[in-house]
Amino acid sequence: MNAPIAPDLLQPMTHHLHIDHLSNAHLDALEEETIFILREVAAAFERPTLLFSGGKDSLVMLKCAEKAFGSPATGGRIPYPLLMIDTGHNFHEVTDFRDLRAKELGAELIVRSVEDSMARGTVRLSHPGESRNVHQSVTLLEAIEEFRFDALIGGARRDEEKARAKERIFSHRDSFGQWQPKDQRPELWTLFNTKLQPGEHFRVFPISNWTELDVWQYIAREQIALPSLYYTHKRDVVERKGLLVPVTELTPLKPGEVAELRDVRFRTVGDITCTCPVESLAATPAQIVLETLAADVSERGATRMDDKTSEASMEKRKKDGYF
């Protein structure tokens, strides 16, 4: 993936390389591992939940859960609820898709909002324009206490970011919801230690070993529907610190800036105040696979303003209870 790639491969309709030339045999092993972990959670914990944002990684995980447990069409049902922590500043295309997909699967969907935490006074913004993304940790921990969840299944992958690369698949959290990277449990031969003390819980990451390329190959193979934001569309943006910032009511132009209408797509979706698109003409999963082959910056590095603050920004947030 790091080998030099000709610039023309960045064009989605290139004739030099086609998705059919790529092997996806490894996807069977990744899918099998994910299904095994999802079933292991159902067997080992009393009150698990699956974190579901409506984004591509959680939709891939949901597809694997559907294969693991069945769907209403096959007489099956995912045995744990879906949970989303909503900042109130999410793209409506994503939250609408989240609701639709949960309804299709007959799954219980629990939504807890950062705005509710703000109303309770457990979240206080330093200024009205501050991103609420980091404050999801508080709302998440409140939801864990409310429902007494003992395992939260998330869609994080090790290739996304340095701190996430340190995670185990079954990542232990103490009674304060905190992650201690130096106190993780061994996971030899897919044997997982799921023992918990009162008040503790696990974050479980079934697609830890997947890459962004694997995700898009799987989406293409399984024909998984996604929110439209993941594909090329025209949007007003402004360039800041090497990122294309969408121009919205939450992220308005600064004095002296001029918006540009560009063809873009989102590699990852999240809070509007910290999620940026990339320039792209890719309109299908196959075209995105080719773009991903040519990418030399991770998806979070290319699209997340909140990861630009310092090298340790994600690790600090994870220690505080972040996903």
Side-chain angles (χ1 to χ4, degrees), residues 89-120:
H89 290 165
N90 294 88
F91 292 97
H92 74 85
E93 294 93 337
V94 178
T95 53
D96 290 348
F97 198 90
R98 170 205 70 192
D99 295 343
L100 173 65
R101 193 73 185 100
K103 184 177 180 180
E104 288 176 345
L105 289 175
E108 178 187 359
L109 175 63
I110 299 169
V111 179
R112 289 296 179 267
S113 173
V114 173
E115 291 182 348
D116 292 336
S117 298
M118 292 167 61
R120 287 190 291 268

Side-chain angles (χ1 to χ4, degrees), residues 40-173:
E40 187 78 2
V41 171
F45 297 97
E46 294 182 12
R47 293 173 297 279
T49 185
L50 190 152
L51 294 168
F52 181 58
S53 66
K56 72 179 189 308
D57 295 323
S58 61
L59 284 163
V60 163
M61 203 161 55
L62 200 64
K63 180 65 174 181
C64 290
E66 186 180 354
K67 290 190 175 188
F69 304 109
S71 65
T74 60
R77 186 173 180 272
I78 297 174
Y80 24 70
L82 312 181
L83 172 67
M84 181 185 182
I85 305 301
D86 192 341
T87 65
H89 290 165
N90 294 88
F91 292 97
H92 74 85
E93 294 93 337
V94 178
T95 53
D96 290 348
F97 198 90
R98 170 205 70 192
D99 295 343
L100 173 65
R101 193 73 185 100
K103 184 177 180 180
E104 288 176 345
L105 289 175
E108 178 187 359
L109 175 63
I110 299 169
V111 179
R112 289 296 179 267
S113 173
V114 173
E115 291 182 348
D116 292 336
S117 298
M118 292 167 61
R120 287 190 291 268
T122 52
V123 166
R124 297 182 181 180
L125 303 184
S126 59
H127 57 85
E130 181 188 1
S131 173
R132 299 176 181 180
N133 193 58
V134 67
H135 298 292
Q136 291 180 92
S137 304
V138 174
T139 310
L140 177 64
L141 293 175
E142 289 173 345
I144 292 171
E145 183 177 1
E146 177 184 357
F147 294 98
R148 297 185 299 123
F149 290 131
D150 53 3
L152 290 88
I153 308 166
R157 308 186 321 270
R158 291 188 177 121
D159 76 320
E160 289 183 278
E161 200 273 340
K162 293 178 181 179
R164 287 183 168 173
K166 297 179 181 180
E167 286 277 20
R168 298 289 194 263
I169 292 176
F170 280 70
S171 182
H172 178 263
R173 295 297 196 272

